[in-house]
Amino acid sequence: MIFIDKRKSKVQGVAQVVEHNSPTMGDHLPEITNNSSENSDRITTHAQSIQPSKLSILLSILNFGPSLILLLLIAMLSLTSPYFLTPRNISNILAQTAVISVVAMGQQLVILTRGIDLSVGSNLALASVLGALSFHAGAPAALVIAVMIVSGAAVGAVNGGFYVFGRLPHPFIITLATLSIAKGLALQLAEGRAIPGMPPEISALGTDALGGLPGSVFVVLAVAAAFFVVTRTMVWGRWIYAVGGRPDAALRMGIPVSWVLVSTYVVSGTCAGIGAVILAGRTDAGSPLFGNLLELDTIAAVIIGGASFLGGRGHLGNALIGALMIGVIRNALNLLNVNIFFQLIVIGVVIVIAVEGDVLRNRLEGRVRVLQAGKQS
Amino acid sequence: MSATPSPLHRHGSDADRPVLSVTGATKRFGSVLALSGIDVTVRRGEILCLLGDNGAGKSTLIKCISGVHHLDSGSIEIGGVVTPMRSPAEARAAGIETVYQDLALFDNLTPAQNFFAGREIAGPQWLPRGLRFLNQRRMDAETASLLANLKVKLPRNDAVVAMMSGGQRQAIAVARSTVFARKVVILDEPTAALGLRESRQVLDLVARLRDQGNAVILITHNMEHVIELADRAVVLRQGRKVGELIPTPDNKQQLVAMIVGA
């Protein structure tokens, strides 16, 4: 008969599991019963091989994995190196990860929408150079900060604008292009050299502030607080998750997808601008060579922190934990006198582990879903 | 668009007037005539089944009604007023909700977040929509009461949709459509991917939608469902309307004949 639906999805197979033991089978729809029995048998055995309680324990371990690993790392290092857990070193780690943390939070929003922003490093370099130039042109500190942040946001707007309204299939290429353009502009404007000198208000970010912590830590906390409010309590934050979860559905539900996408790139760019302020403060200079490989560090931080590269899943805690983990790993390898080139290898390996963790999590959740359908009967 | 869904105020006095009437709907895709002069009406508290073989034009017709496609000629009237559907948002604003085969659920969000995606309850009103603060508690409460009202049971109301079974997901998608559908709910093969028991639950849900006074357009290939649920059935073949009748067990063969054109 032509009315038998030929679609055999996994879901249907799952639902059939329920029906196999059901006495009412065949009462309503005799046509469908014959079309997925072997399918369902396979899924039955598959699903029963793991207990649901074990599954959920595994899942929560995966979800808290990054924080656990960070704590473990810290515990291990405090035992192996006498210098690690000193206030001086902790403050040092926090200062060094401040830039990655802030920029990674922006990157996190972009990745939530299934995107990527490769331009953050060059964007930061350009912003720092423009800041240094404006300082030398006599601008006060507030204006210098504004120049850097606006410059970052502007590059972000170019990224988002071309990606969305230029109808590009993926943000990879446009952010790759602005990576090159911003870097070139920065090198050109600074004539290839670092430009020393920043207003004292900005330099203060690099020196110790409250409680022995560097001023930049408080910038990170302020940005994190702002992100928390936006992503947790505001409609816009919900839209970001919706767009990342299912872009076509978001469009059908009347969410202004284009503007949500553009906004995430603007925010990512703005974070690069804020990162420029922090780095310029720490080094008392603006330089076209700032932010080298920062795109790698920030993407790594987001992924290591446990956010999904497939979009829609993750929160700012992931970016912060990931950034800290990178900072701690680098610091540890320095303290343990490991070759600096080896750091790159270690970070790369950690990324691979994190991504596989994400894949494993998705698979486990699929199994939970299967069990869920089974339990319904 | 009303932000406070209340299924109870839908029983209007205009029960007999068609809430949706499509007249002379014609749509071409290049040289293919997908729809040719189709007339369809739906009333409140009625389930209209749209039947036809693959490629008969069912999906094109509902896409025109829900604003995804635009009619080349013909008109769509909502409550007697001609309403051009230029976008899905416009159709939704006119009170038409569509549950697509792919459900359009956000796997990474909870049922409540899915229900209100794009229509969040938030304030204060003077802020631009995106910058308002979510009233999550109210959205959760309204979702819970709606799910209870439709007798949809979920393992956990606060878990993400990704963790739910096919039937539960379908139920969530159908329930979501009723939150905002003030006029018409369109369901595109809601039981296609479901097993028997889950199909049963969704069919019961569809019947409840009708009982609450919604006008329902149901696309399905399953004749048992048609005979059980449909108040009327419209049969399309190759873009034309080839018949309209009240399905009963006795005229099942006639319906089948109309669909296949034998």
Side-chain angles (χ1 to χ4, degrees):
Chain A
M1 278 184 79
I2 55 162
F3 306 109
I4 299 172
D5 204 299
K6 295 181 198 75
R7 256 173 297 252
K8 272 197 219 173
S9 69
K10 197 175 174 189
V11 177
Q12 187 180 44
V14 171
Q16 288 297 132
V17 175
V18 178
E19 290 308 324
H20 264 300
N21 308 322
S22 160
T24 59
M25 183 176 100
D27 276 357
H28 319 292
L29 317 164
E31 296 103 324
I32 296 187
T33 50
N34 63 352
N35 76 357
S36 65
S37 51
E38 71 285 344
N39 208 356
S40 58
D41 287 340
R42 192 172 52 77
I43 289 172
T44 319
T45 49
H46 197 59
Q48 280 165 353
S49 61
I50 292 187
Q51 297 295 311
S53 55
K54 275 188 198 160
L55 255 183
S56 53
I57 291 170
L58 253 170
L59 264 175
S60 43
I61 288 177
L62 275 176
N63 282 331
F64 289 104
S67 333
L68 287 176
I69 293 173
L70 181 61
L71 286 176
L72 241 133
L73 257 178
I74 291 174
M76 245 166 55
L77 289 166
S78 343
L79 293 177
T80 46
S81 166
Y83 306 106
F84 180 76
L85 215 56
T86 56
R88 179 92 225 122
N89 191 46
I90 297 295
S91 159
N92 198 13
I93 292 176
L94 291 176
Q96 280 169 352
T97 51
V99 174
I100 299 180
S101 301
V102 168
V103 182
M105 282 191 271
Q107 185 79 257
Q108 165 95 69
L109 284 197
V110 171
I111 288 178
L112 270 178
T113 64
R114 305 186 172 191
I116 193 168
D117 187 351
L118 297 176
S119 69
V120 286
S122 307
N123 187 352
L124 183 148
L126 177 62
S128 75
V129 167
L130 286 175
L133 288 176
S134 60
F135 171 63
H136 287 292
L143 188 61
V144 173
I145 291 175
V147 163
M148 291 198 254
I149 291 175
V150 169
S151 158
V155 174
V158 170
N159 284 335
F162 271 96
Y163 168 43
V164 172
F165 300 111
R167 296 177 183 281
L168 297 173
H170 196 271
F172 189 96
I173 300 298
I174 179 62
T175 57
L176 189 66
T178 48
L179 178 155
S180 177
I181 294 168
K183 186 68 129 192
L185 263 176
L187 284 164
Q188 177 71 30
L189 287 171
E191 290 161 354
R193 293 176 281 106
I195 306 171
M198 277 287 150
E201 289 89 342
I202 297 179
S203 304
L205 288 176
T207 57
D208 283 1
L210 232 58
L213 291 169
S216 51
V217 170
F218 297 96
V219 178
V220 175
L221 290 177
V223 173
F227 267 71
F228 183 83
V229 169
V230 165
T231 54
R232 284 297 164 112
T233 69
M234 285 168 74
V235 174
W236 179 57
R238 179 66 47 78
W239 284 350
I240 289 175
Y241 281 91
V243 169
R246 191 83 189 270
D248 57 329
L251 208 58
R252 280 191 242 156
M253 290 297 141
I255 293 170
V257 174
S258 303
W259 291 110
V260 171
L261 287 174
V262 171
S263 71
T264 59
Y265 289 89
V266 172
V267 170
S268 175
T270 306
C271 286
I274 297 172
V277 176
I278 296 174
L279 196 52
R282 202 168 86 213
T283 56
D284 203 19
S287 165
L289 304 177
F290 279 172
N292 194 26
L293 289 184
L294 185 63
E295 63 281 349
L296 203 75
D297 285 346
T298 54
I299 294 167
V302 172
I303 302 304
I304 291 173
S308 175
F309 201 58
L310 305 171
R313 306 192 47 168
H315 47 82
L316 79 131
N318 296 136
L320 290 177
I321 286 173
L324 263 183
M325 207 169 338
I326 292 180
V328 168
I329 291 173
R330 290 222 171 112
N331 181 260
L333 296 176
N334 279 337
L335 288 181
L336 302 172
N337 277 328
V338 178
N339 185 332
I340 191 153
F341 305 127
F342 195 68
Q343 295 181 10
L344 280 171
I345 300 173
V346 171
I347 301 282
V349 170
V350 174
I351 293 175
V352 173
I353 294 171
V355 168
E356 281 303 325
D358 186 29
V359 171
L360 184 63
R361 182 175 60 185
N362 283 332
R363 289 194 45 163
L364 288 180
E365 283 182 357
R367 294 217 188 144
V368 170
R369 190 156 53 219
V370 170
L371 289 170
Q372 198 68 257
K375 245 188 285 176
Q376 259 200 314
S377 59
Chain B
M1 197 186 304
S2 163
T4 49
S6 143
L8 299 173
H9 67 237
R10 287 188 191 144
H11 295 280
S13 56
D14 53 346
D16 276 350
R17 220 176 53 211
V19 60
L20 169 79
S21 74
V22 179
T23 326
T26 302
K27 174 75 187 169
R28 285 184 171 281
F29 292 109
S31 62
V32 179
L33 190 59
L35 298 176
S36 165
I38 289 175
D39 301 331
V40 173
T41 60
V42 203
R43 293 177 185 79
R44 284 188 183 283
E46 176 185 65
I47 296 177
L48 174 78
C49 271
L50 215 48
L51 302 176
D53 208 350
N54 292 337
K58 307 181 301 283
S59 289
T60 309
L61 181 60
I62 63 154
K63 278 180 178 159
C64 289
I65 297 172
S66 58
V68 176
H69 293 323
H70 318 292
L71 288 177
D72 293 333
S73 66
S75 68
I76 297 172
E77 286 176 31
I78 303 289
V81 183
V82 175
T83 318
M85 301 295 173
R86 282 180 294 255
S87 70
E90 241 171 79
R92 184 165 291 126
I96 296 175
E97 287 289 325
T98 311
V99 180
Y100 297 94
Q101 276 181 49
D102 64 5
L103 301 186
L105 287 177
F106 302 97
D107 276 349
N108 58 336
L109 301 182
T110 65
Q113 292 170 342
N114 264 286
F115 270 39
F116 288 93
R119 308 174 269 212
E120 292 80 2
I121 299 177
Q125 295 299 317
W126 51 268
L127 281 172
R129 208 151 65 97
L131 298 181
R132 291 179 194 160
F133 292 91
L134 297 161
N135 189 340
Q136 193 59 52
R137 198 176 301 167
R138 219 178 111 198
M139 289 191 274
D140 286 342
E142 293 203 356
T143 304
S145 78
L146 190 101
L147 288 175
N149 202 3
L150 291 171
K151 300 191 172 66
V152 175
K153 286 193 195 68
L154 301 176
R156 285 177 60 188
N157 279 359
D158 60 345
V160 295
V161 172
M163 309 287 271
M164 298 187 185
S165 74
Q168 291 164 347
R169 292 156 61 83
Q170 186 76 50
I172 291 166
V174 173
R176 172 174 67 177
S177 73
T178 67
V179 181
F180 298 96
R182 287 167 292 115
K183 302 275 167 65
V184 183
V185 181
I186 301 173
L187 304 167
D188 190 358
E189 299 202 40
T191 58
L194 302 182
L196 283 173
R197 180 160 305 197
E198 297 199 308
S199 290
R200 191 68 252 153
Q201 287 166 352
V202 169
L203 294 178
D204 291 345
L205 184 55
V206 174
R208 250 173 266 140
L209 293 187
R210 173 193 52 200
D211 298 343
Q212 292 183 352
N214 293 287
V216 180
I217 299 179
L218 176 66
I219 294 187
T220 179
H221 281 294
N222 189 302
M223 296 310 284
E224 313 293 328
H225 297 176
V226 174
I227 290 161
E228 177 193 335
L229 279 175
D231 297 298
R232 279 183 303 127
V234 166
V235 182
L236 303 184
R237 193 169 70 238
Q238 292 170 357
R240 286 166 206 284
K241 179 169 159 183
V242 293
E244 176 168 351
L245 47 76
I246 297 167
T248 61
D250 300 329
N251 61 18
K252 179 176 167 185
Q253 284 315 315
Q254 192 187 343
L255 268 177
V256 173
M258 274 190 208
I259 291 166
V260 297

